[in-house]
Amino acid sequence: MVAAGVLISGAGTNLQAIIDQIAAGRLACTLRVVISNRAGAPGIARAVRAGVPVRVIDHRAFARREDFDRALLDVLREAGAELVLLAGFDRLITRTLIDAFPLRIMNIHPGLLPAFKGLDAQGAAQSYGVKIAGATVHFVDEQTDHGPIILQGAVPIGPDDTEAEVHDRILAVEHEIYPAAIQFFAEGRLEVEDRRVRVRGPRPAVTASLVSW
Ligand code: GAR
């Protein structure tokens, strides 16, 4: 059972997917705290409904990113988090946090990295005209959307798809692969060698059209 802290900024649908998988007994994880940097984040209500303690830490109250990260770190440590999950968290994190949790911070990104880093990866992929898009779960390092890739899920996109269709299709993959990555971690099955992540043991059943690790 891994103790996790989740950082959110918005809707919190990935947080919800994690909560649901825990409730279904399919994820050996306990959520010790959810931290939002935005007081109005709808994801906060999801944590409250699930009985997870919530803290709001507004990044605007801190002069430097490192000071904000120090505040996050204090709360995560106090909560006993061993793993930190970025789930739609809209701030860049610094060495202050990364060094405290080496290969213990995961992020979900709505693109097939290393393509389409940064904001609105779904829109960027669609405008570029790619035929396959998707999502990536990776460990976080000091560069944005860069750390070792744990798993990726792909979906087809076509020229006539609406923005909302593409967004929702990718989000559905996110909701499947993020809990899967956390479960791998909880089972101690992830081995990292430089950038390469190996998942030891059997493949779990997945329903997304293409998921690979
Ligand atoms: C998700 O699509 C997530 O991949 C993305 O923000 C959304 C959050 O949704 N994250 C990033 O773009 C980080 N670079 P959620 O709040 O409903 O989980």
Side-chain angles (χ1 to χ4, degrees):
M1 192 65 86
V2 65
V6 187
L7 308 190
I8 64 166
S9 301
T13 66
N14 277 287
L15 167 65
Q16 188 67 55
I18 295 164
I19 288 170
D20 292 347
Q21 290 299 306
I22 292 172
R26 286 193 286 263
L27 187 44
C29 176
T30 86
L31 299 185
R32 293 286 179 84
V33 68
V34 167
I35 306 175
S36 174
N37 62 318
R38 301 189 185 276
I44 291 173
R46 300 179 188 274
V48 170
R49 267 201 305 278
V52 182
V54 177
R55 295 283 298 269
V56 173
I57 304 178
D58 189 332
H59 59 277
R60 293 170 303 185
F62 301 87
R64 302 182 317 142
R65 286 185 190 278
E66 288 76 10
D67 299 333
F68 173 57
D69 282 4
R70 167 57 58 186
L72 296 175
L73 183 54
D74 288 346
V75 170
L76 288 163
R77 284 213 168 115
E78 188 187 311
E82 307 159 273
L83 175 68
V84 180
L85 303 168
L86 309 187
F89 187 60
D90 65 8
R91 305 301 297 166
L92 297 178
I93 62 170
T94 67
R95 293 227 74 95
T96 301
L97 204 51
I98 293 164
D99 289 348
F101 290 96
L103 295 177
R104 297 279 182 281
I105 306 177
M106 288 184 188
N107 181 45
I108 178 88
H109 178 74
L112 291 175
L113 293 173
F116 307 117
K117 295 178 177 178
L119 295 175
D120 191 22
Q122 306 95 322
Q126 196 174 18
S127 313
Y128 196 88
V130 302
K131 305 294 187 189
I132 296 178
T136 303
V137 184
H138 64 96
F139 285 115
V140 172
D141 66 10
E142 66 285 354
Q143 296 179 50
T144 306
D145 299 331
H146 175 269
I149 292 171
I150 302 166
L151 89 179
Q152 293 185 304
V155 292
I157 58 178
D160 299 324
D161 290 343
T162 65
E163 227 175 90
E165 282 168 341
V166 170
H167 182 273
D168 290 352
R169 208 173 293 152
I170 293 174
L171 198 57
V173 174
E174 295 183 38
H175 294 166
E176 185 157 36
I177 66 175
Y178 210 1
I182 299 162
Q183 182 62 14
F184 289 150
F185 184 95
E187 292 172 352
R189 292 173 56 189
L190 298 179
E191 267 179 19
V192 186
E193 199 184 323
D194 301 322
R195 285 202 51 84
R196 296 195 196 177
V197 180
R198 178 170 289 108
V199 182
R200 291 156 55 94
R203 298 169 70 89
V206 287
T207 56
S209 48
L210 174 60
V211 173
S212 186
W213 54 85

